[in-house]
Amino acid sequence: MKEGKGSFLVALWWIIGCFCLGVLLLLLAPRQARMSTTENRMLAGAPEASLETLMNGEFFTDIEEYLCDSYFMRQEVIDATDELLGVFDRRTEDQRMIQEEARVNQLLTMDAQGASDQEDVLPPRNGDVPDALPTPTASLTPSPTATSTPAPTATPAVAPTPTPTAAPTATASPTVMPTDTATPATTPVSTATPAPTPYATHTPVPTATPKVIVPLTEGEEYGLWLLRGEDNPDRLYSYPSENIMNFAGTLNLLKSKLPEDGEIHYMQVPVASVGTRLCSRNSKYSGWLSTMEDALQSQVENNIFIHNIPAILNDPLSVNKETDLFYYTDHHWTPKGAWYALEAVMKSRGYPVVGFDEYEYQRRFMGESDNGRVDWTMPMDPLLPVKSVVLRNLTEETDCPFMYHQSTNYMVYLYGTHTPWRRFDTGYGTDRKALLICDSFGNVFLPYLLPYYDEVHMTDLRDSYYDAKEAGGTFSELVAYHQIDDIYIVLSTSNGINSSNSLRVFPATISQ
């Protein structure tokens, strides 16, 4: 009898102790809703009780979310759990990596053929969509192209060849200062009304001595590696020297279509399932390294600049563990990732950079991944009003929304891809015009380019995307007609220098 009473008292005091501890933890827990940078989502705040919320059950749902999101030392508990799982769950981690590799290969194939998940499917016309939208082009899903064969290009002049990097080692990447997440906007039109002062005052550079280009070693390969400490890097992509030299010829040909002081800036962006591997707290990777960009830079002429996106994003991803540079439920990069690239480009040109948080954003739930990561669309409002039109038959203009705020997927950015040619009038007095050649990864990059040009033009040169008859002229004729000064190229690895698009389609289109 005494043993039963003793057991009851122990159980009772245990329950009382747990209750008191729970109350204490709730009292110490934050009561306001707040952003979790590690989970990329808003954590629930303490709900306010009212007769209405008690009657309809909303209060009990909200308090359950609050209890899950706001217990004391929540992040420390999550981090400790992640570390513990990382020790005992190696087999599951390897399986996940295999699944991600399969997904990457699928996305590479789809995007290279112009058939990515969501990028080009126009939403149905309804009450949310303006009447003046351009109609979609014929087929946005071209059939697979044949095996790529390099198109003849102008023979590169002949510069010291870089020493191939056989075994990558972690090196310091350019320092990029992170910025705070911008406050969501309440209306689709920015309230910011700065004077249209040019952000970029262009000073022509004196004509440089022609660059002497030394061809790369035949058979040499460059690549992109994911690093694990100082040993055992994982090579994800290999770039043969022949492909690099052929694509360099395409860039050199493209430069010949610009004025003497015109510039070309090239960026190749890894797909999201590669980039997100670096920001997991229990990731086995310590960073990434790409040697392709230096090799390509050695093969191009003056005023062509190759920007190393893995190096630019290395610190935010692997050091600062910023989780909002790539999407988890989509294969694209986010506005934050694109802004880091833009920042690096403009700093290299000596221009002042418009900060990420100088724009206003609207946040909408986009989706949740299997591991609980939440994605948000963040369409940005321009600093000044922008006129967005789709051009056909050279001068035929059709108004097109700058952003499609009703969308909850990647279509929100620039309202997707519209062919064959698009123009954005900015209102800035820079006396220069730019052209962005891109796949869908350029849709979040272009808005940050606007303050530096009077006009920003946009086209997609993938097979079945650009049609000279519909455009009203060949690519060369349109570049000349619109008096393009600078060209930016933003492509995912799917359409990078190894793809048939870059080796066959682009040079064939550009040479016309």
Side-chain angles (χ1 to χ4, degrees):
M1 192 72 178
K2 290 183 179 181
E3 292 180 359
K5 184 177 181 181
S7 299
F8 171 77
L9 291 176
V10 170
L12 178 62
W13 282 109
W14 176 256
I15 294 173
I16 293 174
C18 290
F19 176 78
C20 293
L21 179 61
V23 171
L24 178 62
L25 292 178
L26 283 178
L27 291 175
L28 295 174
R31 304 185 63 80
Q32 299 297 324
R34 63 216 177 278
M35 183 66 188
S36 170
T37 57
T38 57
E39 297 180 45
N40 196 24
R41 70 181 181 93
M42 292 296 293
L43 300 179
E48 295 184 4
S50 66
L51 181 60
E52 180 181 358
T53 58
L54 288 171
M55 294 294 293
N56 61 22
E58 182 180 339
F59 173 79
F60 300 102
T61 301
D62 291 344
I63 196 68
E64 182 179 354
E65 293 181 359
Y66 172 67
L67 293 175
C68 292
D69 281 355
S70 299
Y71 52 85
F72 183 61
M73 296 184 68
R74 178 180 183 277
Q75 191 56 55
E76 287 74 7
V77 172
I78 292 176
D79 292 344
T81 303
D82 287 344
E83 293 293 338
L84 188 62
L85 290 175
V87 173
F88 294 102
D89 198 24
R90 292 301 183 190
R91 185 178 64 86
T92 303
E93 174 71 8
D94 290 341
Q95 287 179 339
R96 185 178 68 83
M97 288 299 180
I98 292 173
Q99 292 173 349
E100 286 187 355
E101 288 287 358
R103 177 60 173 161
V104 169
N105 292 333
Q106 178 188 14
L107 290 173
L108 291 179
T109 302
M110 294 173 65
D111 205 23
Q113 297 173 2
S116 56
D117 293 345
Q118 302 168 340
E119 64 178 271
D120 291 306
V121 182
L122 294 176
R125 292 175 180 262
N126 53 42
D128 295 333
V129 182
D131 294 329
L133 287 177
T135 55
T137 54
S139 173
L140 295 181
T141 308
S143 57
T145 56
T147 304
S148 60
T149 55
T153 57
T155 303
V158 199
T161 180
T163 302
T165 304
T169 56
T171 58
S173 58
T175 301
V176 183
M177 298 301 294
T179 59
D180 297 331
T181 302
T183 304
T186 55
T187 63
V189 180
S190 173
T191 57
T193 56
T197 303
Y199 279 86
T201 303
H202 184 79
T203 303
V205 178
T207 303
T209 304
K211 180 178 178 180
V212 178
I213 299 175
V214 177
L216 299 175
T217 304
E218 184 178 354
E220 187 60 64
E221 288 195 347
Y222 300 81
L224 171 67
W225 287 266
L226 285 176
L227 306 177
R228 292 187 288 179
E230 297 182 356
D231 301 317
N232 301 320
D234 293 344
R235 184 197 289 256
L236 292 184
Y237 302 108
S238 295
Y239 304 104
S241 58
E242 291 77 11
N243 288 359
I244 293 176
M245 289 189 289
N246 275 292
F247 188 68
T250 300
L251 295 180
N252 292 333
L253 175 63
L254 187 61
K255 176 64 179 68
S256 68
K257 303 180 184 301
L258 297 179
E260 186 176 349
D261 65 345
E263 297 182 359
I264 294 178
H265 296 267
Y266 177 76
M267 287 155 272
Q268 183 169 298
V269 188
V271 291
S273 53
V274 175
T276 53
R277 297 188 196 185
L278 302 183
C279 54
S280 172
R281 288 190 173 272
N282 62 347
S283 173
K284 62 183 178 182
Y285 297 112
S286 58
W288 51 7
L289 177 69
S290 178
T291 59
M292 176 275 293
E293 285 79 5
D294 285 344
L296 181 58
Q297 184 70 71
S298 74
Q299 302 301 296
V300 296
E301 297 174 357
N302 293 324
N303 282 8
I304 301 177
F305 305 94
I306 313 302
H307 300 277
N308 191 324
I309 296 301
I312 292 169
L313 299 183
N314 191 64
D315 282 357
L317 278 173
S318 62
V319 178
N320 299 330
K321 297 294 184 183
E322 294 191 40
T323 59
D324 56 347
L325 305 189
F326 289 91
Y327 285 117
Y328 291 84
T329 59
D330 185 279
H331 67 285
H332 295 94
W333 60 349
T334 67
K336 190 66 169 294
W339 178 84
Y340 272 121
L342 186 281
E343 179 195 40
V345 171
M346 292 308 164
K347 281 187 174 181
S348 72
R349 304 189 70 181
Y351 294 162
V353 179
V354 183
F356 179 80
D357 54 0
E358 292 185 44
Y359 296 88
E360 293 186 346
Y361 302 83
Q362 291 192 47
R363 289 172 57 86
R364 286 199 175 192
F365 177 77
M366 183 175 179
E368 184 174 357
S369 66
D370 293 338
N371 62 358
R373 299 280 190 176
V374 177
D375 284 337
W376 305 84
T377 61
M378 290 183 60
M380 63 292 290
D381 295 323
L383 301 180
L384 291 177
V386 172
K387 180 182 180 181
S388 166
V389 297
V390 174
L391 295 173
R392 296 188 179 92
N393 299 318
L394 196 62
T395 59
E396 181 184 318
E397 297 185 2
T398 305
D399 290 335
C400 183
F402 179 65
M403 294 285 170
Y404 183 54
H405 290 274
Q406 289 78 12
S407 176
T408 57
N409 58 35
Y410 195 78
M411 184 67 68
V412 70
Y413 302 111
L414 302 188
Y415 196 38
T417 299
H418 293 269
T419 60
W421 198 274
R422 195 166 174 181
R423 189 188 76 230
F424 300 84
D425 300 322
T426 71
Y428 290 94
T430 63
D431 294 326
R432 290 185 73 80
K433 301 177 182 179
L435 169 64
L436 175 63
I437 300 174
C438 61
D439 55 15
S440 57
F441 275 61
N443 291 11
V444 295
F445 179 85
L446 183 139
Y448 298 119
L449 193 60
L450 298 179
Y452 303 90
Y453 293 93
D454 286 341
E455 295 178 6
V456 176
H457 296 246
M458 183 181 193
T459 190
D460 189 330
L461 298 184
R462 285 179 291 175
D463 205 5
S464 296
Y465 280 69
Y466 181 82
D467 183 274
K469 183 177 181 180
E470 183 186 17
T474 65
F475 174 83
S476 299
E477 290 170 341
L478 264 67
V479 169
Y481 177 82
H482 293 295
Q483 299 179 327
I484 300 299
D485 296 292
D486 300 323
I487 292 179
Y488 295 80
I489 304 175
V490 176
L491 298 171
S492 67
T493 48
S494 322
N495 297 297
I497 62 175
N498 276 352
S499 70
S500 62
N501 284 310
S502 288
L503 293 174
R504 183 182 63 81
V505 180
F506 290 179
T509 302
I510 290 170
S511 61
Q512 296 176 356

